[in-house]
Coordinates of all heavy atoms in Angstrom, one line a residue:
M1 N 177.5 81.3 124.2 CA 177.0 80.4 125.3 C 175.6 80.0 124.9 O 174.7 80.8 124.6 CB 177.1 81.2 126.5 CG 176.6 80.5 127.7 SD 177.2 81.5 129.1 CE 176.2 81.0 130.3
P2 N 175.3 78.7 125.0 CA 174.0 78.2 124.6 C 173.0 78.5 125.7 O 173.3 78.6 126.9 CB 174.2 76.7 124.5 CG 175.5 76.4 125.2 CD 176.3 77.6 125.2
Q3 N 171.8 78.7 125.3 CA 170.7 79.1 126.2 C 170.3 77.8 126.9 O 170.2 76.7 126.2 CB 169.5 79.7 125.5 CG 169.8 81.1 125.1 CD 168.5 81.8 124.6 OE1 167.6 81.1 124.4 NE2 168.6 83.1 124.5
P4 N 169.9 77.9 128.1 CA 169.4 76.7 128.8 C 168.0 76.2 128.2 O 167.2 77.1 127.9 CB 169.3 77.0 130.2 CG 169.2 78.5 130.3 CD 169.9 79.0 129.0
R5 N 167.8 75.0 128.1 CA 166.6 74.4 127.5 C 165.6 74.1 128.7 O 166.1 73.6 129.7 CB 166.8 73.2 126.7 CG 167.5 73.5 125.5 CD 167.7 72.2 124.6 NE 166.4 71.7 124.3 CZ 166.3 70.5 123.8 NH1 167.3 69.7 123.6 NH2 165.1 70.0 123.5
L6 N 164.4 74.5 128.5 CA 163.4 74.2 129.5 C 162.9 72.8 129.2 O 162.7 72.4 128.1 CB 162.2 75.2 129.4 CG 162.6 76.6 129.7 CD1 161.4 77.5 129.4 CD2 163.0 76.8 131.1
P7 N 162.7 72.0 130.3 CA 162.2 70.6 130.1 C 160.8 70.7 129.5 O 160.0 71.4 129.9 CB 162.3 70.0 131.4 CG 162.5 71.1 132.4 CD 162.9 72.3 131.7
G8 N 160.5 69.8 128.5 CA 159.2 69.7 127.9 C 158.8 70.7 126.9 O 157.7 70.7 126.4
T9 N 159.7 71.7 126.5 CA 159.4 72.7 125.6 C 159.0 72.1 124.2 O 158.0 72.5 123.6 CB 160.6 73.7 125.4 OG1 160.8 74.2 126.7 CG2 160.3 74.8 124.5
P10 N 159.8 71.2 123.6 CA 159.4 70.6 122.3 C 158.1 70.0 122.4 O 157.3 70.1 121.4 CB 160.5 69.7 122.0 CG 161.7 70.1 122.8 CD 161.1 70.7 124.0
S11 N 157.7 69.3 123.4 CA 156.5 68.6 123.5 C 155.3 69.6 123.6 O 154.2 69.3 123.1 CB 156.4 67.6 124.6 OG 156.6 68.2 125.8
V12 N 155.5 70.7 124.3 CA 154.5 71.7 124.4 C 154.2 72.3 123.0 O 153.1 72.5 122.6 CB 154.9 72.8 125.4 CG1 153.9 74.0 125.3 CG2 154.9 72.2 126.8
L13 N 155.3 72.6 122.3 CA 155.2 73.2 120.9 C 154.5 72.2 120.0 O 153.6 72.6 119.2 CB 156.5 73.6 120.4 CG 157.2 74.8 121.1 CD1 158.6 75.0 120.5 CD2 156.3 76.0 120.9
L14 N 154.8 70.9 120.1 CA 154.2 69.9 119.3 C 152.8 69.8 119.6 O 151.9 69.7 118.7 CB 155.0 68.6 119.5 CG 154.5 67.4 118.6 CD1 154.6 67.7 117.1 CD2 155.2 66.2 119.0
G15 N 152.4 69.8 120.9 CA 151.0 69.8 121.3 C 150.2 70.9 120.7 O 149.1 70.8 120.3
A16 N 150.8 72.1 120.8 CA 150.1 73.3 120.3 C 149.9 73.3 118.8 O 148.8 73.7 118.3 CB 150.9 74.6 120.7
A17 N 150.9 72.7 118.1 CA 150.7 72.6 116.7 C 149.7 71.6 116.3 O 148.9 71.8 115.4 CB 152.1 72.2 116.0
L18 N 149.6 70.5 117.1 CA 148.5 69.5 116.8 C 147.1 70.1 117.1 O 146.2 69.9 116.3 CB 148.7 68.3 117.7 CG 149.8 67.3 117.2 CD1 150.1 66.2 118.3 CD2 149.4 66.7 115.9
L19 N 147.0 70.9 118.2 CA 145.7 71.5 118.5 C 145.3 72.5 117.4 O 144.2 72.6 117.0 CB 145.8 72.2 119.8 CG 145.7 71.3 121.0 CD1 145.9 72.2 122.3 CD2 144.3 70.7 121.1
A20 N 146.3 73.3 116.9 CA 146.0 74.2 115.8 C 145.5 73.5 114.5 O 144.6 74.0 113.8 CB 147.2 75.1 115.5
A21 N 146.2 72.4 114.2 CA 145.8 71.6 113.0 C 144.4 71.1 113.2 O 143.6 71.0 112.2 CB 146.8 70.5 112.8
C22 N 144.0 70.6 114.4 CA 142.7 70.1 114.6 C 141.6 71.2 114.6 O 140.5 70.9 114.3 CB 142.7 69.3 115.9 SG 143.6 67.8 115.9
A23 N 142.0 72.4 114.9 CA 141.0 73.5 115.0 C 140.6 74.0 113.6 O 139.6 74.7 113.5 CB 141.6 74.6 115.8
T24 N 141.4 73.8 112.6 CA 141.0 74.3 111.3 C 139.8 73.5 110.8 O 139.7 72.3 110.9 CB 142.2 74.2 110.3 OG1 142.6 72.9 110.2 CG2 143.3 75.1 110.8
P25 N 138.9 74.2 110.1 CA 137.7 73.4 109.6 C 138.1 72.5 108.5 O 139.0 72.7 107.7 CB 136.8 74.5 109.1 CG 137.7 75.7 108.8 CD 138.8 75.6 109.7
P26 N 137.4 71.4 108.4 CA 137.7 70.4 107.3 C 137.3 71.0 106.0 O 136.5 71.8 105.9 CB 136.9 69.2 107.7 CG 135.8 69.7 108.5 CD 136.3 70.9 109.2
P27 N 138.0 70.5 104.9 CA 137.6 71.1 103.6 C 136.2 70.7 103.3 O 135.7 69.6 103.7 CB 138.6 70.4 102.7 CG 139.1 69.2 103.4 CD 139.0 69.5 104.8
P28 N 135.5 71.5 102.5 CA 134.1 71.2 102.2 C 134.0 69.9 101.3 O 134.8 69.7 100.5 CB 133.6 72.4 101.4 CG 134.9 73.1 100.9 CD 136.0 72.7 101.9
T29 N 133.0 69.1 101.6 CA 132.8 67.9 100.9 C 132.0 68.3 99.6 O 131.1 69.1 99.6 CB 132.0 66.9 101.7 OG1 130.7 67.5 102.1 CG2 132.7 66.5 102.9
P30 N 132.3 67.6 98.5 CA 131.6 67.9 97.3 C 130.1 67.5 97.5 O 129.8 66.5 98.0 CB 132.3 67.1 96.2 CG 133.1 66.0 97.0 CD 133.3 66.6 98.4
S31 N 129.2 68.4 97.0 CA 127.8 68.1 97.2 C 127.3 67.2 96.1 O 127.8 67.2 94.9 CB 127.0 69.4 97.1 OG 127.2 70.0 95.8
A32 N 126.4 66.4 96.4 CA 125.8 65.4 95.5 C 124.9 66.1 94.6 O 124.2 67.1 95.0 CB 125.1 64.3 96.3
P33 N 124.8 65.7 93.4 CA 123.8 66.3 92.4 C 122.4 66.1 93.0 O 122.1 65.1 93.7 CB 124.0 65.6 91.1 CG 124.7 64.3 91.5 CD 125.4 64.6 92.7
P34 N 121.5 67.1 92.8 CA 120.1 67.0 93.3 C 119.4 65.8 92.7 O 119.6 65.4 91.5 CB 119.5 68.3 92.9 CG 120.3 68.8 91.8 CD 121.7 68.3 92.0
K35 N 118.6 65.2 93.6 CA 117.8 64.0 93.1 C 116.7 64.5 92.2 O 116.1 65.5 92.4 CB 117.2 63.3 94.3 CG 118.2 62.5 95.1 CD 117.6 61.8 96.3 CE 116.1 61.6 96.3 NZ 115.7 60.8 97.5
P36 N 116.5 63.8 91.1 CA 115.4 64.2 90.2 C 114.0 64.0 91.0 O 113.9 63.2 91.8 CB 115.5 63.2 89.1 CG 116.3 62.1 89.5 CD 117.1 62.6 90.7
L37 N 113.1 64.9 90.7 CA 111.8 64.9 91.3 C 111.0 63.7 90.8 O 111.0 63.3 89.6 CB 111.0 66.2 91.0 CG 111.6 67.4 91.6 CD1 110.8 68.6 91.1 CD2 111.6 67.4 93.1
S38 N 110.3 63.1 91.7 CA 109.4 62.0 91.3 C 108.1 62.6 90.8 O 107.8 63.7 91.0 CB 109.1 61.1 92.5 OG 108.3 61.7 93.4
A39 N 107.3 61.7 90.1 CA 106.1 62.2 89.5 C 105.1 62.6 90.7 O 104.4 63.5 90.5 CB 105.4 61.1 88.7
E40 N 105.2 61.9 91.8 CA 104.3 62.2 92.9 C 104.7 63.6 93.5 O 103.8 64.3 93.8 CB 104.5 61.1 94.0 CG 103.6 61.3 95.2 CD 102.1 61.3 94.9 OE1 101.7 60.6 94.0 OE2 101.4 61.9 95.6
Q41 N 106.0 63.9 93.6 CA 106.4 65.2 94.1 C 105.9 66.3 93.2 O 105.4 67.3 93.6 CB 107.9 65.2 94.2 CG 108.5 64.5 95.4 CD 110.0 64.4 95.3 OE1 110.6 64.2 94.3 NE2 110.6 64.6 96.5
I42 N 106.1 66.1 91.9 CA 105.7 67.1 90.9 C 104.1 67.3 91.0 O 103.6 68.4 91.0 CB 106.1 66.7 89.5 CG1 107.6 66.8 89.4 CG2 105.4 67.6 88.4 CD1 108.1 66.2 88.1
F43 N 103.4 66.2 91.2 CA 101.9 66.3 91.2 C 101.5 67.0 92.5 O 100.7 67.9 92.4 CB 101.4 64.9 91.3 CG 99.9 64.8 91.4 CD1 99.1 65.2 90.3 CD2 99.2 64.4 92.6 CE1 97.7 65.2 90.4 CE2 97.9 64.4 92.6 CZ 97.1 64.8 91.6
R44 N 102.2 66.7 93.6 CA 101.8 67.4 94.9 C 102.1 68.9 94.8 O 101.4 69.8 95.2 CB 102.6 66.8 96.1 CG 102.0 65.6 96.6 CD 102.6 65.2 98.0 NE 104.0 65.3 98.1 CZ 104.8 64.3 97.9 NH1 104.3 63.1 97.6 NH2 106.1 64.4 98.0
E45 N 103.3 69.3 94.2 CA 103.6 70.7 94.1 C 102.7 71.4 93.1 O 102.3 72.5 93.4 CB 105.1 70.8 93.6 CG 106.1 70.5 94.6 CD 107.5 70.6 94.1 OE1 107.7 71.2 93.0 OE2 108.4 70.1 94.8
S46 N 102.3 70.7 92.1 CA 101.3 71.4 91.1 C 100.0 71.6 91.8 O 99.3 72.6 91.5 CB 101.2 70.6 89.8 OG 100.6 69.3 90.1
Q47 N 99.6 70.6 92.6 CA 98.3 70.8 93.3 C 98.4 72.0 94.3 O 97.5 72.8 94.4 CB 97.9 69.5 94.1 CG 97.3 68.5 93.2 CD 96.8 67.3 94.1 OE1 97.5 66.9 95.0 NE2 95.7 66.7 93.7
G48 N 99.5 72.1 95.0 CA 99.7 73.2 95.9 C 99.7 74.5 95.1 O 99.1 75.5 95.6
M49 N 100.3 74.6 94.0 CA 100.3 75.8 93.2 C 98.9 76.2 92.7 O 98.4 77.3 92.7 CB 101.2 75.7 92.0 CG 102.6 75.8 92.3 SD 103.6 75.7 90.8 CE 105.2 75.9 91.5
A50 N 98.1 75.1 92.3 CA 96.7 75.3 91.9 C 95.9 75.9 93.0 O 95.1 76.8 92.8 CB 96.2 74.0 91.4
Q51 N 96.1 75.3 94.2 CA 95.3 75.8 95.4 C 95.7 77.3 95.7 O 94.8 78.1 96.0 CB 95.6 74.9 96.6 CG 95.0 73.6 96.5 CD 95.4 72.7 97.7 OE1 96.4 73.0 98.4 NE2 94.7 71.6 97.9
L52 N 97.0 77.6 95.6 CA 97.4 79.0 95.8 C 96.7 79.9 94.8 O 96.2 81.0 95.1 CB 98.9 79.2 95.7 CG 99.7 78.7 96.9 CD1 101.2 78.7 96.6 CD2 99.3 79.5 98.2
G53 N 96.7 79.5 93.5 CA 96.1 80.3 92.5 C 94.6 80.5 92.7 O 94.0 81.6 92.5
Q54 N 93.9 79.4 93.2 CA 92.5 79.5 93.4 C 92.2 80.5 94.6 O 91.3 81.3 94.5 CB 91.9 78.1 93.8 CG 90.4 78.1 94.0 CD 89.6 78.5 92.8 OE1 90.0 78.3 91.7 NE2 88.6 79.2 93.0
R55 N 93.0 80.4 95.6 CA 92.9 81.3 96.8 C 93.1 82.7 96.3 O 92.4 83.6 96.8 CB 93.8 80.9 97.9 CG 93.6 79.6 98.6 CD 93.1 79.6 100.0 NE 93.6 80.6 100.9 CZ 92.8 81.2 101.7 NH1 91.5 80.9 101.7 NH2 93.2 82.1 102.5
H56 N 94.1 82.9 95.5 CA 94.3 84.3 95.0 C 93.1 84.8 94.2 O 92.7 86.0 94.4 CB 95.6 84.2 94.0 CG 96.0 85.6 93.6 ND1 95.6 86.2 92.5 CD2 96.9 86.4 94.2 CE1 96.2 87.4 92.4 NE2 97.0 87.5 93.4
K57 N 92.5 84.0 93.4 CA 91.3 84.4 92.6 C 90.2 84.7 93.6 O 89.5 85.7 93.4 CB 90.9 83.3 91.6 CG 91.8 83.2 90.4 CD 91.5 82.1 89.5 CE 90.3 82.3 88.8 NZ 90.0 81.2 87.8
E58 N 90.0 83.9 94.6 CA 89.0 84.1 95.6 C 89.2 85.5 96.3 O 88.3 86.2 96.5 CB 88.9 83.0 96.6 CG 88.4 81.7 96.1 CD 88.6 80.5 97.1 OE1 89.0 80.8 98.2 OE2 88.2 79.4 96.7
G59 N 90.4 85.7 96.6 CA 90.8 87.0 97.3 C 90.5 88.2 96.4 O 89.9 89.2 96.9
E60 N 90.8 88.1 95.1 CA 90.5 89.2 94.2 C 89.0 89.4 94.1 O 88.6 90.6 94.0 CB 91.1 88.9 92.8 CG 92.6 89.0 92.7 CD 93.1 88.6 91.3 OE1 92.5 87.8 90.6 OE2 94.2 89.2 91.0
E61 N 88.3 88.3 94.0 CA 86.8 88.5 93.9 C 86.2 89.1 95.2 O 85.3 90.0 95.1 CB 86.2 87.1 93.7 CG 84.7 87.1 93.6 CD 84.1 88.0 92.5 OE1 84.9 88.2 91.5 OE2 83.0 88.4 92.5
M62 N 86.8 88.8 96.4 CA 86.3 89.4 97.6 C 86.6 90.9 97.6 O 85.8 91.7 98.0 CB 87.0 88.7 98.8 CG 86.5 87.3 99.1 SD 87.4 86.5 100.4 CE 86.8 87.3 101.8
V63 N 87.8 91.3 97.1 CA 88.2 92.7 97.1 C 87.2 93.4 96.1 O 86.7 94.5 96.4 CB 89.6 92.8 96.6 CG1 89.9 94.3 96.2 CG2 90.6 92.3 97.7
R64 N 86.9 92.8 95.0 CA 86.0 93.4 94.0 C 84.6 93.6 94.6 O 84.0 94.7 94.5 CB 85.9 92.6 92.7 CG 85.2 93.3 91.6 CD 84.8 92.3 90.5 NE 83.8 91.3 90.9 CZ 82.6 91.5 91.2 NH1 82.0 92.7 91.1 NH2 81.8 90.5 91.6
Q65 N 84.1 92.6 95.3 CA 82.8 92.7 95.9 C 82.8 93.7 97.0 O 81.8 94.5 97.1 CB 82.4 91.3 96.5 CG 82.0 90.3 95.4 CD 81.6 89.0 96.1 OE1 81.9 88.7 97.2 NE2 81.0 88.1 95.3
G66 N 83.8 93.8 97.8 CA 83.9 94.8 98.9 C 83.9 96.2 98.3 O 83.3 97.1 98.9
Q67 N 84.7 96.4 97.3 CA 84.8 97.7 96.7 C 83.4 98.1 96.1 O 83.0 99.3 96.2 CB 85.9 97.7 95.6 CG 87.3 97.7 96.1 CD 88.3 97.5 95.0 OE1 88.0 97.0 93.9 NE2 89.5 97.9 95.3
Q68 N 82.7 97.2 95.5 CA 81.4 97.5 95.0 C 80.4 97.8 96.1 O 79.7 98.8 96.0 CB 80.8 96.3 94.1 CG 79.5 96.6 93.5 CD 79.6 97.8 92.5 OE1 80.5 97.8 91.6 NE2 78.7 98.7 92.6
M69 N 80.5 97.1 97.2 CA 79.7 97.4 98.3 C 80.0 98.8 98.9 O 79.0 99.5 99.3 CB 79.8 96.4 99.4 CG 79.3 95.0 99.1 SD 79.7 93.7 100.3 CE 78.6 94.3 101.6
V70 N 81.2 99.2 98.9 CA 81.6 100.5 99.4 C 81.1 101.6 98.5 O 80.5 102.6 99.0 CB 83.1 100.6 99.6 CG1 83.6 102.0 99.8 CG2 83.6 99.7 100.7
R71 N 81.2 101.3 97.2 CA 80.6 102.3 96.2 C 79.1 102.5 96.4 O 78.6 103.6 96.4 CB 81.0 101.9 94.8 CG 82.4 102.2 94.4 CD 82.7 102.1 92.9 NE 82.5 100.7 92.4 CZ 83.4 99.8 92.4 NH1 84.6 100.1 92.9 NH2 83.2 98.6 92.0
D72 N 78.4 101.3 96.5 CA 77.0 101.3 96.7 C 76.6 102.1 98.0 O 75.7 102.9 98.0 CB 76.4 99.9 96.7 CG 76.5 99.2 95.4 OD1 76.8 99.9 94.4 OD2 76.4 98.0 95.4
A73 N 77.4 101.8 99.1 CA 77.1 102.4 100.3 C 77.3 103.9 100.3 O 76.6 104.7 100.8 CB 78.0 101.8 101.4
Q74 N 78.4 104.4 99.5 CA 78.6 105.8 99.3 C 77.5 106.5 98.6 O 77.1 107.6 98.9 CB 80.0 106.0 98.6 CG 81.2 105.7 99.5 CD 82.5 105.7 98.7 OE1 82.5 105.6 97.5 NE2 83.6 105.8 99.4
V75 N 76.9 105.8 97.6 CA 75.8 106.3 96.9 C 74.6 106.4 97.8 O 73.9 107.4 97.8 CB 75.5 105.4 95.6 CG1 74.1 105.8 95.0 CG2 76.6 105.6 94.6
Q76 N 74.4 105.4 98.6 CA 73.2 105.4 99.5 C 73.4 106.5 100.6 O 72.5 107.2 101.0 CB 73.1 104.0 100.2 CG 72.4 103.0 99.3 CD 72.1 101.8 100.1 OE1 72.9 101.3 100.9 NE2 70.9 101.2 99.9
E77 N 74.7 106.6 101.1 CA 74.9 107.6 102.1 C 74.7 109.0 101.5 O 74.1 109.9 102.1 CB 76.4 107.6 102.5 CG 76.8 108.6 103.6 CD 78.2 108.5 104.0 OE1 79.0 107.9 103.3 OE2 78.5 109.1 105.0
A78 N 75.1 109.3 100.3 CA 74.9 110.6 99.6 C 73.4 110.8 99.5 O 72.9 111.9 99.7 CB 75.6 110.6 98.3
E79 N 72.6 109.8 99.1 CA 71.2 109.9 98.9 C 70.5 110.2 100.2 O 69.6 111.0 100.4 CB 70.6 108.6 98.2 CG 69.1 108.7 98.1 CD 68.6 109.7 97.1 OE1 69.4 110.3 96.3 OE2 67.4 110.1 97.2
G80 N 71.0 109.5 101.3 CA 70.4 109.7 102.6 C 70.7 111.1 103.1 O 69.8 111.7 103.7
Q81 N 71.9 111.6 102.9 CA 72.3 112.9 103.3 C 71.4 114.0 102.5 O 71.0 115.0 103.1 CB 73.8 113.2 103.0 CG 74.3 114.5 103.7 CD 74.1 114.5 105.2 OE1 74.5 113.6 105.9 NE2 73.5 115.5 105.7
R82 N 71.2 113.7 101.2 CA 70.3 114.6 100.4 C 68.9 114.6 101.0 O 68.3 115.7 101.2 CB 70.3 114.1 99.0 CG 69.6 115.1 98.1 CD 69.2 114.5 96.7 NE 68.3 113.5 96.7 CZ 66.9 113.6 97.0 NH1 66.4 114.8 97.2 NH2 66.1 112.6 97.0
L83 N 68.4 113.5 101.4 CA 67.0 113.4 102.0 C 67.0 114.2 103.4 O 66.1 114.9 103.7 CB 66.6 112.0 102.2 CG 66.2 111.2 101.0 CD1 66.0 109.7 101.3 CD2 65.0 111.8 100.3
I84 N 68.1 114.0 104.2 CA 68.1 114.7 105.4 C 68.2 116.2 105.2 O 67.4 117.0 105.9 CB 69.4 114.3 106.2 CG1 69.2 112.8 106.7 CG2 69.7 115.2 107.4 CD1 70.5 112.2 107.3
D85 N 69.0 116.7 104.3 CA 69.1 118.1 104.0 C 67.8 118.6 103.5 O 67.3 119.7 103.9 CB 70.2 118.4 103.0 CG 71.6 118.1 103.5 OD1 71.8 118.0 104.7 OD2 72.5 117.9 102.7
A86 N 67.1 117.9 102.6 CA 65.8 118.4 102.1 C 64.8 118.4 103.2 O 64.0 119.4 103.3 CB 65.3 117.5 100.9
G87 N 64.8 117.4 104.1 CA 63.8 117.3 105.2 C 64.1 118.5 106.1 O 63.1 119.1 106.6
R88 N 65.3 118.8 106.5 CA 65.6 119.9 107.4 C 65.2 121.2 106.8 O 64.7 122.1 107.5 CB 67.1 119.9 107.7 CG 67.5 118.8 108.7 CD 68.9 118.9 109.1 NE 69.2 117.8 110.0 CZ 70.4 117.3 110.2 NH1 71.5 117.8 109.5 NH2 70.6 116.3 111.1
K89 N 65.3 121.3 105.5 CA 64.9 122.6 104.8 C 63.4 122.8 104.9 O 62.9 123.8 105.2 CB 65.4 122.6 103.3 CG 65.0 123.8 102.6 CD 65.5 123.8 101.2 CE 65.2 125.0 100.4 NZ 65.5 125.0 99.0
I90 N 62.7 121.7 104.7 CA 61.2 121.7 104.8 C 60.8 122.1 106.2 O 59.9 122.9 106.5 CB 60.6 120.4 104.3 CG1 60.8 120.2 102.8 CG2 59.1 120.3 104.7 CD1 60.4 118.9 102.3
I91 N 61.5 121.4 107.2 CA 61.2 121.7 108.6 C 61.4 123.2 108.9 O 60.6 123.9 109.5 CB 62.0 120.8 109.5 CG1 61.6 119.4 109.4 CG2 62.0 121.3 111.0 CD1 62.5 118.4 110.1
Q92 N 62.5 123.7 108.5 CA 62.9 125.1 108.7 C 61.9 126.0 108.1 O 61.4 127.0 108.7 CB 64.3 125.4 108.2 CG 64.7 126.8 108.5 CD 66.2 127.1 108.0 OE1 66.6 126.4 107.1 NE2 66.8 128.1 108.5
E93 N 61.5 125.8 106.8 CA 60.5 126.6 106.1 C 59.2 126.5 106.8 O 58.4 127.5 107.0 CB 60.4 126.1 104.7 CG 61.6 126.5 103.8 CD 61.5 125.8 102.4 OE1 60.6 125.0 102.2 OE2 62.4 126.1 101.6
S94 N 58.8 125.3 107.3 CA 57.5 125.2 108.0 C 57.5 126.0 109.3 O 56.5 126.6 109.6 CB 57.2 123.7 108.3 OG 57.1 123.0 107.2
E95 N 58.6 125.9 110.0 CA 58.7 126.7 111.3 C 58.7 128.2 111.0 O 58.0 128.9 111.8 CB 60.0 126.3 112.1 CG 59.9 124.9 112.6 CD 61.3 124.4 113.3 OE1 62.3 125.1 113.1 OE2 61.3 123.4 113.9
Q96 N 59.3 128.6 110.0 CA 59.3 130.0 109.6 C 57.9 130.4 109.2 O 57.4 131.5 109.6 CB 60.3 130.3 108.5 CG 61.7 130.3 108.9 CD 62.7 130.4 107.8 OE1 62.3 130.4 106.6 NE2 64.0 130.5 108.1
G97 N 57.2 129.6 108.5 CA 55.8 129.9 108.1 C 54.9 129.9 109.3 O 54.0 130.8 109.3
Y98 N 55.1 129.1 110.2 CA 54.3 129.0 111.4 C 54.5 130.3 112.2 O 53.5 130.9 112.7 CB 54.6 127.8 112.2 CG 53.9 127.7 113.5 CD1 52.5 127.3 113.6 CD2 54.5 128.0 114.7 CE1 51.9 127.3 114.8 CE2 53.9 127.9 115.9 CZ 52.5 127.5 116.0 OH 51.9 127.5 117.2
D99 N 55.8 130.7 112.4 CA 56.1 131.9 113.1 C 55.5 133.1 112.4 O 55.0 134.0 113.1 CB 57.6 132.1 113.2 CG 58.3 131.1 114.2 OD1 57.5 130.5 115.0 OD2 59.5 130.9 114.1
A100 N 55.5 133.1 111.1 CA 54.9 134.3 110.3 C 53.4 134.3 110.5 O 52.8 135.4 110.6 CB 55.3 134.2 108.9
L101 N 52.7 133.2 110.6 CA 51.3 133.2 110.8 C 50.9 133.6 112.2 O 49.8 134.2 112.4 CB 50.7 131.8 110.6 CG 50.7 131.3 109.1 CD1 50.2 129.9 109.0 CD2 49.8 132.2 108.3
R102 N 51.7 133.3 113.2 CA 51.4 133.7 114.6 C 51.6 135.2 114.8 O 51.0 135.7 115.8 CB 52.3 132.9 115.5 CG 51.9 131.4 115.6 CD 52.7 130.7 116.6 NE 52.5 131.2 118.0 CZ 53.4 131.1 118.9 NH1 54.5 130.4 118.7 NH2 53.2 131.6 120.1
K103 N 52.2 135.9 114.0 CA 52.4 137.3 114.2 C 51.3 138.1 113.7 O 50.4 138.1 113.2 CB 53.7 137.8 113.6 CG 54.9 137.2 114.3 CD 56.2 137.8 113.6 CE 57.4 137.2 114.3 NZ 58.6 137.7 113.8

């Protein structure tokens, strides 16, 4: 016995198939070869690289100067601490000498 057909069933299936076909992404388009660089573009890029190189050199020089300043400051700090220690020793000896004279 044949099954009863629902009205509009083929058109629904056809519509679903059309929607599925439209939902698939289109095939990728072939990419065009890259355009050759113009002399102006190459010049601008080389100037940019030169500026980066110059900034890098400036940064290195700043680091070198800062490190030298830190070393110099450490030497001065050590010398200052030596003077403080020597001065405190003299003060202590003087106070002890004063106390010994008062007795």
Side-chain angles (χ1 to χ4, degrees):
M1 180 164 158
Q3 289 190 344
R5 290 183 62 194
L6 297 172
T9 301
S11 60
V12 170
L13 292 175
L14 181 60
L18 282 172
L19 282 174
C22 290
T24 59
T29 57
S31 61
K35 288 180 16 180
L37 295 175
S38 69
E40 181 64 29
Q41 286 173 315
I42 293 171
F43 180 72
R44 277 195 314 265
E45 287 179 14
S46 66
Q47 281 186 322
M49 287 183 177
Q51 287 174 345
L52 285 174
Q54 183 61 35
R55 294 245 330 134
H56 187 272
K57 286 173 73 173
E58 289 171 5
E60 286 179 334
E61 180 61 21
M62 289 173 71
V63 168
R64 189 195 64 71
Q65 287 177 346
Q67 288 172 335
Q68 185 60 49
M69 290 174 71
V70 167
R71 283 190 296 272
D72 293 345
Q74 288 170 341
V75 168
Q76 283 187 318
E77 181 183 16
E79 178 63 18
Q81 192 60 51
R82 189 193 66 74
L83 288 172
I84 290 170
D85 293 343
R88 285 184 179 156
K89 183 178 179 185
I90 291 171
I91 291 170
Q92 184 181 20
E93 289 171 353
S94 298
E95 289 173 350
Q96 288 172 353
Y98 177 76
D99 288 341
L101 287 176
R102 286 187 59 205
K103 291 183 180 180

